[in-house]
Amino acid sequence: MGKDVIIACDFSSKQETLAFLDQFSGRKPYVKIGMELFYAEGPSIVRDLKERGHQIFLDLKLHDIPNTVKKAMAVLSRLDVDMVNLHAAGTRAMMEGALEGVTRPDGTRPLVIAVTQLTSTSQERLTEELLIEKPMDETVMHYAANAAQAGLDGVVCAPLEAGKVHQRCGKDFVTVTPGIRFADGEKGDQVRVTTPEQAKALGSDYIVVGRPITQASDPVAAYDRCVKEFVD
Ligand code: C5P
């Protein structure tokens, strides 16, 4: 699995996104398009960035009945993205439907990655609101195993969980890890953070980096630093 740095393009317009990416003059970083940008600009933002030569992780976290997710994934498959995701909580039947839907007529498909439990969900909320009695780490690993069993390619997880996920689901099961910060940088609202270098040592396959690059005074230098620490 080739390691790569994915820039989270958490912008609310095409204009802002292109102005940001133009700074990379000629270089084509792997980018993540999330709900904010997708809902603001629609599918055309995906086509535009694809045309410019970027690999794209479309982070829409689908979660619905299996038939609806299958059909939605079939539509998304036409956008030719490289990675999509969904909630493992939708069950194995939903994940299998997603895989079926996202597979293009020529047999190719993007990587399909599962969200296990959102990192914003605390142990307390898991137990008291969601009525899941098991500990968080056991729940996360079980959902990851469900995703693997359904035939998915990997999960979004914290770098600190990447090793355990690989142990449970195999070394080729992809770990996509946000919560990345430079050792000398701001944490923002992320609590448990990891440097790109630590994420590499912990076995992450892809790191997702937003503000440490998008808000940097020199975003290209910040991206290069991530690549140097994580990939090279
Ligand atoms: O700016 P920052 O580096 O914190 O951005 C991280 C990106 O990864 C954001 O787009 C955020 O929504 C996403 N993400 C996350 N934690 C998760 C899942 C996704 O930070 N558990």
Side-chain angles (χ1 to χ4, degrees):
M1 182 52 58
K3 286 188 183 290
D4 211 344
V5 175
I6 303 178
I7 305 179
C9 286
D10 293 324
F11 301 113
S12 58
S13 73
K14 173 177 170 179
Q15 196 189 4
E16 236 184 304
T17 308
L18 296 188
F20 168 75
L21 291 173
D22 280 345
Q23 299 173 86
F24 289 80
S25 57
R27 299 178 50 204
K28 306 293 177 190
Y30 204 133
V31 297
K32 176 170 92 73
I33 298 177
M35 292 184 203
E36 183 185 8
L37 185 56
F38 190 80
Y39 292 151
E41 297 290 349
S44 67
I45 186 69
V46 176
R47 293 192 196 99
D48 289 343
L49 296 189
K50 230 10 222 194
E51 257 168 44
R52 284 171 154 240
H54 295 275
Q55 284 185 280
I56 295 175
F57 169 19
L58 188 57
D59 177 18
L60 298 181
K61 301 187 179 71
L62 276 68
H63 188 177
D64 208 315
I65 60 171
N67 187 55
T68 301
V69 169
K70 178 179 161 183
K71 288 178 157 177
M73 282 291 190
V75 174
L76 294 179
S77 77
R78 294 186 219 138
L79 290 175
D80 197 24
V81 295
D82 301 279
M83 192 186 289
V84 290
N85 63 357
L86 46 66
H87 275 281
T91 75
R92 288 202 294 264
M94 190 202 80
M95 293 191 265
E96 286 162 7
L99 275 184
E100 219 182 304
V102 86
T103 303
R104 304 178 188 109
D106 65 359
T108 63
R109 63 169 177 81
L111 290 178
V112 184
I113 303 295
V115 173
T116 56
Q117 283 292 334
L118 292 169
T119 46
S120 50
T121 305
S122 62
Q123 178 68 58
E124 192 186 357
R125 286 184 182 154
L126 191 76
T127 315
E128 289 174 12
E129 260 181 67
L130 304 184
L131 291 183
I132 296 173
E133 289 173 358
K134 303 278 186 188
M136 179 63 83
D137 58 342
E138 198 180 329
T139 310
V140 165
M141 287 306 148
H142 184 67
Y143 282 28
N146 282 346
Q149 222 178 317
L152 261 66
D153 302 293
V155 287
V156 180
C157 64
L160 288 163
E161 294 162 355
K164 255 192 181 172
V165 168
H166 284 137
Q167 256 173 29
R168 175 97 182 241
C169 304
K171 68 173 174 34
D172 294 332
F173 195 66
V174 173
T175 52
V176 179
T177 66
I180 303 296
R181 293 293 178 268
F182 292 122
D184 52 4
E186 292 283 323
K187 278 196 215 172
D189 56 356
Q190 298 279 15
V191 182
R192 290 161 71 214
V193 297
T194 305
T195 66
E197 206 169 11
Q198 287 164 343
K200 180 182 184 179
L202 289 163
S204 296
D205 296 298
Y206 294 89
I207 53 172
V208 176
V209 190
R211 289 160 291 178
I213 296 176
T214 57
Q215 308 296 310
S217 53
D218 185 344
V220 179
Y223 172 73
D224 283 340
R225 184 175 170 192
C226 284
V227 172
K228 193 162 183 288
E229 284 191 27
F230 183 69
V231 185
D232 294 347

